């Protein structure tokens, strides 16, 4: 029989669940969820911080977000010198949720604060999902769900690629979709509403949640149906207002540069490109494989459509694959769909229970197989932990730059300075326009953004001819200071 999505809630379980034990004030299910979050937060933070210590983070994007949060902490609207002189970040993406991190940034200056915050936010998403699974399907299933969630490539790639605002969306989606799966419809809608403050495109996901809330409510639950319809309208309106009014309002050019990247014409062109389709199909497969493709049995999985739609319709190939952070918001969606689908199997009894057990085994095996190619595997590589002579040389030169100085730096060196200096990205704003006190360039990296190593060498030579002197150089890292 072909699989089909069923909106009706699963039938009541055939047997009553065992009495819930309490651990340190929490019931056993909640303790399992929070325990999983603590483990994941430690793993994610360790990987992020160690990558930063080895200078594998970049100005685009960690430095940009650090400057934005710093602006909030100083009582200003978020700006970033890395994107241009006083560039307003609300004109790039509408993410006022970053202001939540401002108090932390006041106490703990530097990008490490953002990396730890992201690790915690991503990890907290496992709490409602694992707790839901533990209470309805038992602790063993909950452990599998937590493993499927935490080892999913979407979260791992987000952790390994600096910091991004979508970290806030992950726990909000997890709590919202857990409530939706438990048919607590009004809380599901309420948890979804703040997503419009995370990023402008997430209003479409909010609308999708609203549609499911209304459908799950049916005709008998008028309050739930009204909540769903209102949530759907709110989500669509929020995306429209943020994308076509607020972002152009803040943007120096008066436009939203991202809306032009998406279009049906672009999509039709890509349909004739097999490489494009292969990459997109691989993205979908990698997303669903940890759930043994069982997520397809739940209507909750439909919530991946808004995000995948704008990504796959874009002419930017970086959106199509799994290498960056874009899959992170989809992980709680497919994990919630996985739990919902497991419930549907278990409540059938008999053959459904057998398929439930088989699905768990396949999920663990598939997730473990994907883990070998995951950025989390970097934790087991000596290169992440061993002293690096190039890093040591770069840090020695970085220490010669005084606090609060104005600096133009290359991409890999920027986040090492944003916590204590005013930093611009070398190659974005002309030197003669910004006149930084210091220029620091790492010319040992052949290909980098926005200038390659050869261009950086030429730019450094030009700067020395126009009023800068060489302060120090080691292992390809060059430090210049403006004379006078």
């Amino acid at each position: 029989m072909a699989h089909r999505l069923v909106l009706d809630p699963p039938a009541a379980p055939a047997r009553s669940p065992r009495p819930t034990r309490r651990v340190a004030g929490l019931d056993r299910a909640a303790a399992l969820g929070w325990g999983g979050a603590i483990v994941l937060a430690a793993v994610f933070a360790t990987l992020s911080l160690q990558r930063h210590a080895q200078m594998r983070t970049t100005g685009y994007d960690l430095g940009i977000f650090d400057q934005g949060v710093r602006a909030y902490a100083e009582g200003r609207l978020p700006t970033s010198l890395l994107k241009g002189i006083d560039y307003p970040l609300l004109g790039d993406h509408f993410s006022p949720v970053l202001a939540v991190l401002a108090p932390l940034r006041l106490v703990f200056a530097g990008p490490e604060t953002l990396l730890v915050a992201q690790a915690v936010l991503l990890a907290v998403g496992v709490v409602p999902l694992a707790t839901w699974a533990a209470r309805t399907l038992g602790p063993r299933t909950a452990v599998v769900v937590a493993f499927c969630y935490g080892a999913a490539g979407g979260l791992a790639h987000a952790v390994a690629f600096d910091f991004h605002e979508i970290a806030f969306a992950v726990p909000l989606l997890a709590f919202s979709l857990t409530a939706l799966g438990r048919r607590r419809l009004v809380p599901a809608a309420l948890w979804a509403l703040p997503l419009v403050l995370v990023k402008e495109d997430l209003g479409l996901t909010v609308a999708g949640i609203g549609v499911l809330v209304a459908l799950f409510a049916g005709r008998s639950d008028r309050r739930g149906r009204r909540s769903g319809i209102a949530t759907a309208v709110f989500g669509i309106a929020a995306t429209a207002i943020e994308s076509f009014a607020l972002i152009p309002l803040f943007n120096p050019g008066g436009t939203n540069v991202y809306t032009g990247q998406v279009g049906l014409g672009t999509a039709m062109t890509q349909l004739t490109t097999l490489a494009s389709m292969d990459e997109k199909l691989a993205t979908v497969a990698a997303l669903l494989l940890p759930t043994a493709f069982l997520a397809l049995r739940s209507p909750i999985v439909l919530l991946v459509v808004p995000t995948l739609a704008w990504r796959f319709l874009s002419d930017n190939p970086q959106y199509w694959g799994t290498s960056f952070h874009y899959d992170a918001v989809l992980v709680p969606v497919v994990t919630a769909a996985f739990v919902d689908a497991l419930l549907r199997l278990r409540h059938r009894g008999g053959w459904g229970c057998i398929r439930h057990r088989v699905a768990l085994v396949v999920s663990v095996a598939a997730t473990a197989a994907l883990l070998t190619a995951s950025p989390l595997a970097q934790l087991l590589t000596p290169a992440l932990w061993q002293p690096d002579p190039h890093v040591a040389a770069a840090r020695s030169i970085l220490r010669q730059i005084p606090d609060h100085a104005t600096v133009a730096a290359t991409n890999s060196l920027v986040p090492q300075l944003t916590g204590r200096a005013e930093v611009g990205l070398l190659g974005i704003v002309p030197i003669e326009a910004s006149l930084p006190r210091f220029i620091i360039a790492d010319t040992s990296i052949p290909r980098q953004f926005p200038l390659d190593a050869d261009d950086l060498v030429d730019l450094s030579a030009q700067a020395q001819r126009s009023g800068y002197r060489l302060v120090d150089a080691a292992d390809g890292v060059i430090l210049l200071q403006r004379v006078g």
Side-chain angles (χ1 to χ4, degrees):
M1 180 181 296
H3 291 175
R4 60 188 178 91
L5 295 177
V6 181
L7 293 176
D8 296 334
R15 56 182 179 180
S16 301
R18 295 178 180 179
T20 305
R21 298 179 182 178
R22 302 193 69 81
V23 179
L26 297 174
D27 64 60
R28 187 178 180 184
L32 191 154
W34 283 106
I38 291 171
V39 171
L40 290 179
V43 171
F44 293 162
T46 299
L47 177 59
S48 288
L49 293 175
Q50 196 60 24
R51 284 178 55 82
H52 183 66
Q54 294 284 48
M55 292 189 175
R56 298 185 187 182
T57 53
T58 58
Y60 272 57
D61 291 319
L62 178 57
I64 292 173
F65 283 109
D66 189 42
Q67 290 182 337
V69 174
R70 176 183 174 183
Y72 276 125
E74 294 173 351
R76 301 181 285 112
L77 288 176
T79 59
S80 176
L81 187 59
L82 294 166
K83 291 185 73 71
I85 298 176
D86 293 328
Y87 189 94
L89 292 182
L90 291 177
D92 187 48
H93 288 299
F94 191 76
S95 305
V97 72
L98 290 173
V100 172
L101 296 178
L104 288 176
R105 185 62 171 72
L106 285 172
V107 179
F108 306 103
E112 295 86 352
T113 301
L114 274 64
L115 296 177
V116 173
Q118 175 174 255
V120 172
L121 287 167
L122 296 179
V124 166
V126 81
V127 174
L129 295 166
T131 303
W132 175 26
R135 287 175 177 164
T136 55
L137 296 166
R140 292 182 182 177
T141 300
V143 170
V144 174
V145 168
F147 178 60
C148 168
Y149 171 90
L155 298 188
H157 284 289
V159 168
F161 181 40
D162 296 1
F163 169 92
H164 292 89
E165 71 286 281
I166 51 88
F168 284 94
V170 172
L172 289 172
L173 281 166
F175 279 100
S176 175
L177 299 182
T178 296
L180 182 64
R182 296 174 60 195
R183 304 312 190 261
R184 299 178 65 238
L185 302 182
V186 174
L190 293 176
W191 276 109
L193 296 181
L195 289 169
V196 302
L197 302 178
V198 177
K199 198 162 171 275
E200 62 276 5
D201 65 282
L202 287 171
L204 299 178
T205 302
V206 173
I209 293 173
V211 170
L212 287 184
V213 166
L215 291 174
F216 284 175
R219 296 181 179 180
S220 59
D221 184 357
R222 292 185 178 180
R223 182 187 179 204
R225 187 172 56 179
R226 286 196 298 266
S227 296
I229 294 172
T231 301
V233 172
F234 173 77
I236 293 173
T239 288
I241 292 171
E242 291 170 6
S243 299
F244 299 105
L246 293 180
I247 290 177
L249 176 66
F250 287 104
N251 187 279
T255 62
N256 183 339
V257 298
Y258 299 102
T259 53
Q261 296 178 353
V262 179
L264 293 178
T266 300
M268 294 302 295
T269 301
Q270 293 169 14
L271 286 174
T272 62
T273 308
L274 293 179
S276 163
M277 294 306 298
D278 287 347
E279 186 172 11
K280 293 170 184 176
L281 289 174
T283 296
V284 174
L287 188 66
L288 295 173
L289 194 57
T291 75
F293 290 94
L294 202 63
L296 292 172
R297 296 184 62 93
S298 169
I300 293 175
V301 78
L302 294 172
L303 295 173
V304 305
V305 172
T307 297
L308 289 181
W310 74 256
R311 287 172 58 186
F312 290 172
L313 290 174
S314 171
D315 61 3
N316 186 345
Q318 291 186 336
Y319 295 154
W320 304 341
T322 61
S323 299
F324 298 101
H325 59 286
Y326 303 109
D327 280 347
V329 296
L330 303 179
V331 171
V333 176
V334 296
T335 307
F338 185 35
V339 177
D340 187 50
L342 287 172
L343 279 168
R344 294 168 185 272
L345 282 182
R346 174 65 67 88
H347 292 155
R348 284 185 174 186
W351 177 238
C353 292
I354 296 175
R355 293 178 67 184
H356 173 274
R357 297 188 185 98
V358 171
L360 293 183
V361 173
V362 174
S363 171
V364 171
T367 305
L370 292 174
L371 195 57
T372 60
S374 166
L376 294 177
Q378 295 176 23
L379 289 167
L380 303 178
T381 60
L384 191 67
W385 304 96
Q386 293 175 348
D388 187 325
H390 178 73
V391 171
R395 290 200 181 283
S396 176
I397 294 178
L398 284 166
R399 284 193 289 269
Q400 299 179 51
I401 299 176
D403 292 351
H404 311 298
T406 56
V407 187
T410 48
N411 203 22
S412 63
L413 299 177
V414 163
Q416 309 297 324
L417 290 165
T418 53
R420 63 183 185 88
E422 300 294 333
V423 190
L425 184 62
L426 194 58
I428 292 293
V429 178
I431 296 299
E432 57 272 18
S434 58
L435 290 177
R437 183 180 174 191
F438 292 92
I439 296 173
I440 185 166
D442 188 345
T443 64
S444 70
I445 306 172
R447 304 286 296 176
Q448 52 184 304
F449 174 79
L451 298 176
D452 292 337
D454 292 342
D455 295 325
L456 290 172
V457 171
D458 293 341
L459 189 150
S460 298
Q462 180 182 351
Q464 291 181 69
R465 291 193 297 269
S466 59
Y468 284 83
R469 67 177 181 86
L470 179 65
V471 176
D472 200 356
D475 202 23
V477 181
I478 303 170
L479 177 63
L480 307 176
Q481 181 177 3
R482 192 176 73 242
V483 177

